[in-house]
Every structure is written in C-alpha cells, then in structure tokens.
Amino acid sequence: DEPALCVFCQHYGADGLELPQSPVTIIHRAFNTLFAQTGIQLFAHAEIEYFLGRDPQRDDINTNEDRSYHASYPQVFGQKLRRDACRILAKIGVSVKYAHSECAFIPSTPEDPLVWEQHEVELALEPLPQAALSAILTQWVLKCLAARAGMRYDGKPINKPGHPGSGLHVHMSPYHPNDFGGQH
C-alpha cells in the first residue's frame, strides 16, 4: 500500500466567510436550513455507474455483448479494479453498500479502439453533505485505479449512442426523529 493524503478544502471569500457560491457551502446550507426549519435531516446514497475502457487485444476480455447483470470474472475484466476500489474506499471511510458489474458491453469500433464494460458502486446511506463527499471520493478512486491499470474511466450518462447509459443516481431519505419510530 502506498500512503496517500486526501484533503478537501472549503472555499472562503476575501471577507473570510464561506464563499456563498461554493458547492460545498450550498449543500451544507441547504442541509442545515432544512433541519432548522423542519427538524428533518436529509440522508442520501449514490449509485455510481461507470464504464471501463480497455484495449480489446487483451486475452482476458469476453466479447459477448449479451452480458448478465452481476456477472463476474472471467465474464468481465473490471472486477479486480472494482474490488480494489471497494477496499480503498473502506480504508478512507467511504461505506459501500455493494458493487457489481452491469449489463452493458460496447465493442471497439474504428472511431474508438477500446472495448467498454459497465460497472456500479452503490454507497451506503449517510447525511447529505457526507454522501456528496463520498460520491466524489468514489469517482476519484475509480479514475485513479483505471489510469494505473491502463484503462479509461467514463461516468458520462451516454458513453456511446445506441448502448445503455450510466449515471449517478442519488437516493434521498428524509429523517425526522418523530416519524416511523425514529428510523429511516
């Protein structure tokens, strides 16, 4: 394991106050305002769907376009990267609910020489500001591991026209201690 330092900075203006237009400030302000006005805490968890692109000449690529949901190696080449990401995320405090392959496979074309397969990492439920940070960290870890493995990470909604898309799905769970016996 290589040591790493992960730092997230808050944005401040020349007046020393939190910068109002900073995404971090906006999400914290919304979370705190909702709680102050209603007593509701907003929890969330993200599903990060993504594609991994790789050279099709590798011998461990199954080119069958009809994949199974939750397929595993040797049917998918990105399993090790996904598992490594989950281990790293656990070490840095990001809770993963589960991670698996998705169905999509995009073969190489003359315009794009890479083959692409789809995966998902679903994170655990946590307060909205922490859930946002966890989603950012997850995408960063996936991008870094893909680059290290000689692959490309793509989280765009549409990787290639005519194929299933990916996305960042965010599930919300409002919590009020007087509702449902204080459970989410």
Side-chain angles (χ1 to χ4, degrees):
D1 289 348
E2 297 177 23
L5 175 65
C6 183
V7 177
F8 281 89
C9 299
Q10 179 67 20
H11 303 103
Y12 291 91
D15 57 5
L17 300 175
E18 291 181 348
L19 197 62
Q21 63 268 41
S22 165
V24 175
T25 303
I26 292 168
I27 201 163
H28 279 276
R29 187 174 56 235
F31 181 79
N32 293 332
T33 299
L34 178 66
F35 182 72
Q37 292 179 359
T38 67
I40 293 173
Q41 286 184 297
L42 190 56
F43 284 70
H45 73 90
E47 290 181 39
I48 292 129
E49 291 181 350
Y50 60 96
F51 277 91
L52 291 173
R54 188 166 172 182
D55 178 356
Q57 303 308 313
R58 304 279 297 260
D59 62 357
D60 63 345
I61 293 179
N62 174 0
T63 59
N64 180 4
E65 288 187 48
D66 187 18
R67 303 224 167 187
S68 299
Y69 186 61
H70 287 238
S72 61
Y73 185 82
Q75 300 303 315
V76 293
F77 60 77
Q79 178 173 305
K80 180 181 181 327
L81 186 145
R82 191 180 66 246
R83 287 183 173 176
D84 289 346
C86 289
R87 279 190 281 279
I88 290 169
L89 291 167
K91 285 182 180 180
I92 62 175
V94 175
S95 296
V96 175
K97 185 175 173 184
Y98 52 77
H100 57 86
S101 67
E102 288 279 345
C103 297
F105 177 82
I106 303 172
S108 63
T109 64
E111 298 81 33
D112 183 359
L114 301 179
V115 294
W116 295 89
E117 67 179 23
Q118 189 181 34
H119 296 266
E120 177 182 310
V121 174
E122 184 166 333
L123 304 177
L125 191 66
E126 44 192 356
L128 182 62
Q130 183 60 40
L133 182 59
S134 293
I136 292 166
L137 284 168
T138 300
Q139 291 175 326
W140 176 71
V141 166
L142 289 166
K143 287 176 188 178
C144 289
L145 288 176
R148 182 182 288 173
M151 293 188 229
R152 291 220 4 241
Y153 168 92
D154 188 334
K156 293 186 301 222
I158 301 294
N159 180 291
K160 297 284 181 275
H163 292 277
S166 281
L168 171 62
H169 306 102
V170 179
H171 301 265
M172 304 286 193
S173 177
Y175 168 76
H176 192 282
N178 296 331
D179 293 340
F180 309 108
Q183 298 179 17
H184 295 277

